[in-house]
Amino acid sequence: MSLGADMIAILEGKERNLFKHHPWVFSGAMDASTLPASAGVEKVVSYDGRFIAWGWYDKDSHIPLRLLSWKEDDMPDSAWWERSVRESVLRRKSFFSDMSSSTNVFRIIHGEADLLPGLVADVYGRIVRIIVSARVAWDMREVVVRAIEGLLHPQMIILNTDSAFCAIEKLHEIVEYYQEGVRFTPAEKLAEMRIREDGIYYGLVPGTGQKSGFYCDQRENRRRLEQYVKDAVVFDGCCYTGGFTLHALRGGCRKVDAFDSSADAVHRLLSNVHLNVDLGVLPSSSLERVTANKADVFETLRSIPRNAYDVMILDPPKLAQTIKSLESAKKAYKDLNRLAMEKIRNGGILMTCSCSGSLKREDFRTVLAWSAKDAGAEVQILETLGQGMDHPVRMSFPESEYLKAYILRVIK
Ligand code: SAH
């Protein structure tokens, strides 16, 4: 069968996962003679001519073909993007109804898991932050901004490219600001704003800080931690702006020592403790119960005495950036957790997380078993946790399960 020039053919044996709706196609899976010269929407068929999906081909992307729609009569044009954005936002209806009370920060678009490759969007009160990490989403950004504007009428939309992907996606590092859907240049630095998660307040300047300024994927896990900290001495190893620390204080811990390699994060944590004390969310004794230190978590774990902590939290950054760095990352996760298991008191609670998408849940668990063995400890899993429900895991795209967390009891 002859294929038209506007169809990309998948090589025999490489089509199976794509029929199961896996969205990524690398160059080794495509018939090179069917590849178009310029970027755009293409029909994708199997080697024997069966329709698989509509995809976006762009040879300059590190994932040259991204499948978008598996329905032949539903081609991903601008209207498709607009509709997909709207559907993704509307799936978070329950979060919007909570906006006026305890939580006003959550994710409304979670990339491929919401069928929108390279696109993430978070709500911060009245501001929306969009992060673009793929060329296809960059191309469609005006449509995305328009769709969000039309639905939510935010005070401002801030859109930026993800610096971690700019080099491999051949994108520029760019920040754009939109008001009423129109791009503008802010006259002055944006003012600090307050966001709320689960009744706790955080100060942030929109458009700054790591990730999108706040890690809302840990919302449920922070709440779980609170159940274990009454009267405990707590160690928060990679505290950032204090997500877990603030919950430990609210949960009635005796003391919490927080550490982060970023001085900025440590300052922000302390001002967040003050903010919550001032607002009456935390008791004023919280100020004497917390220390915040700029320090490397590995060095800190080596230097602290044994049996000083009842509860320890390890929420390191993505140690495996790519599949290539997976083996060295596993070793780093193993050492980190081994050190904590050695230092924690007998019967202590270890909350440990990995946000590396390339490290599978089973493999993280295996790594933790190695740590336990080397620390000479018996370890019980009390809770198996993941990412917040506004960061869904798409069944056909296992890579979207990136955050794994366990609450463990360490018995020596
Ligand atoms: N637990 C935080 C999020 C942690 S994100 C929350 O609930 O919001 C990971 C943090 O690890 C970042 O703040 C980063 O600055 C910090 N970090 C990175 N490398 C580190 C290191 N070697 N030692 C300590 N902190 C580190």
Side-chain angles (χ1 to χ4, degrees):
M1 174 177 172
S2 85
L3 301 172
D6 55 345
M7 290 188 199
I8 294 177
I10 300 300
L11 297 176
E12 185 167 4
K14 303 283 187 187
E15 74 286 4
R16 224 163 294 143
N17 257 341
L18 309 180
F19 273 120
K20 289 191 221 152
H21 293 207
H22 195 282
W24 288 352
V25 190
F26 293 94
S27 44
M30 296 181 282
D31 176 346
S33 69
T34 62
L35 297 181
S38 55
V41 173
E42 301 291 335
K43 196 178 252 197
V44 180
V45 296
S46 59
Y47 63 97
D48 54 356
R50 284 171 295 148
F51 174 81
I52 300 176
W54 291 100
W56 173 276
Y57 177 78
D58 185 341
K59 65 176 175 18
D60 287 330
S61 170
H62 77 294
I63 301 167
L65 177 62
R66 297 168 188 264
L67 303 188
L68 299 168
S69 163
W70 281 261
K71 293 182 191 139
E72 197 162 5
D73 60 356
D74 194 19
M75 197 181 105
D77 52 9
S78 304
W80 180 94
W81 276 81
E82 198 162 343
R83 191 185 77 224
S84 301
V85 166
R86 186 162 14 98
E87 288 174 354
S88 180
V89 174
L90 293 178
R91 284 194 281 270
R92 273 74 172 183
K93 243 193 200 142
S94 62
F95 283 93
F96 287 100
S97 55
D98 189 43
M99 275 279 269
S100 57
S101 53
S102 58
T103 298
N104 69 356
V105 47
F106 50 92
R107 179 151 293 188
I108 50 175
I109 299 175
H110 186 48
E112 263 91 349
D114 273 305
L115 305 143
L116 288 162
L119 190 65
V120 154
D122 293 322
V123 161
Y124 287 83
R126 303 224 40 230
I127 289 182
V128 174
R129 176 97 182 266
I130 301 175
I131 302 177
V132 165
S133 61
R135 295 171 65 83
V136 57
W138 174 252
D139 230 69
M140 287 293 160
R141 73 191 189 287
E142 306 259 318
V143 177
V144 173
V145 166
R146 221 175 26 242
I148 291 179
E149 177 63 38
L151 263 177
L152 304 177
H153 311 294
Q155 196 176 51
M156 192 191 305
I157 295 177
I158 303 173
L159 180 147
N160 62 274
T161 47
D162 184 338
S163 54
F165 284 90
C166 280
I168 49 172
E169 279 291 293
K170 303 194 183 72
L171 288 169
H172 296 292
E173 283 200 35
I174 278 173
V175 187
E176 293 179 345
Y177 300 85
Y178 294 83
Q179 241 161 10
E180 291 173 10
V182 180
R183 193 144 89 218
F184 77 108
T185 310
E188 51 201 62
K189 234 182 102 202
L190 298 180
E192 180 173 321
M193 64 180 292
R194 282 179 197 167
I195 54 156
R196 266 187 325 272
E197 184 193 79
D198 195 22
I200 291 180
Y201 289 78
Y202 300 81
L204 63 86
V205 179
T208 64
Q210 302 169 14
K211 203 178 174 194
S212 45
F214 184 71
Y215 294 90
C216 55
D217 51 357
Q218 290 280 23
R219 182 188 316 108
E220 280 79 4
N221 302 341
R222 293 182 182 124
R223 202 177 293 165
R224 291 307 312 147
L225 174 84
E226 224 169 293
Q227 308 307 310
Y228 295 89
V229 296
K230 184 96 186 86
D231 298 325
V233 180
V234 179
F235 174 100
D236 187 358
C238 299
C239 60
Y240 190 44
T241 56
F244 287 104
T245 289
L246 292 159
H247 281 262
L249 290 166
R250 189 169 71 178
C253 70
R254 184 141 52 95
K255 183 171 183 274
V256 51
D257 293 327
F259 304 88
D260 200 284
S261 56
S262 149
D264 230 39
V266 166
H267 289 141
R268 182 64 71 181
L269 179 148
L270 286 176
S271 67
N272 284 337
V273 177
H274 278 273
L275 176 66
N276 284 281
V277 168
D278 291 347
L279 294 171
V281 174
L282 294 177
S284 56
S285 64
S286 302
L287 297 168
E288 295 107 58
R289 289 189 282 135
V290 63
T291 72
N293 313 275
K294 178 189 173 314
D296 175 82
V297 65
F298 288 91
E299 281 171 23
T300 306
L301 280 169
R302 283 190 194 96
S303 65
I304 56 172
R306 285 172 191 263
N307 303 321
Y309 293 100
D310 306 295
V311 174
M312 296 179 87
I313 302 144
L314 296 177
D315 182 19
K318 209 171 170 180
L319 296 177
Q321 287 293 348
T322 59
I323 280 278
K324 282 193 202 106
S325 58
L326 190 57
E327 284 314 308
S328 61
K330 277 187 186 170
K331 191 174 173 312
Y333 280 115
K334 187 193 113 177
D335 287 345
L336 191 65
N337 284 282
R338 171 187 55 83
L339 285 162
M341 288 172 187
E342 281 172 3
K343 292 297 169 81
I344 202 166
R345 79 157 171 77
N346 179 21
I349 296 293
L350 173 60
M351 168 134 202
T352 185
C353 316
S354 160
C355 59
S356 300
S358 51
L359 179 65
K360 295 207 178 72
R361 185 174 280 281
E362 310 83 82
D363 295 336
F364 183 43
R365 206 171 129 164
T366 304
V367 165
L368 294 172
W370 296 340
S371 308
K373 179 180 169 290
D374 286 5
E378 284 292 345
V379 171
Q380 296 175 322
I381 298 177
L382 304 186
E383 297 195 39
T384 300
L385 305 169
Q387 56 218 49
M389 66 176 181
D390 48 340
H391 296 60
V393 177
R394 177 171 157 197
M395 282 283 196
S396 57
F397 184 55
E399 291 85 342
S400 55
E401 182 177 12
Y402 69 101
L403 180 59
K404 291 85 51 189
Y406 289 98
I407 298 183
L408 307 173
R409 180 182 283 122
V410 183
I411 305 167
K412 312 203 187 171

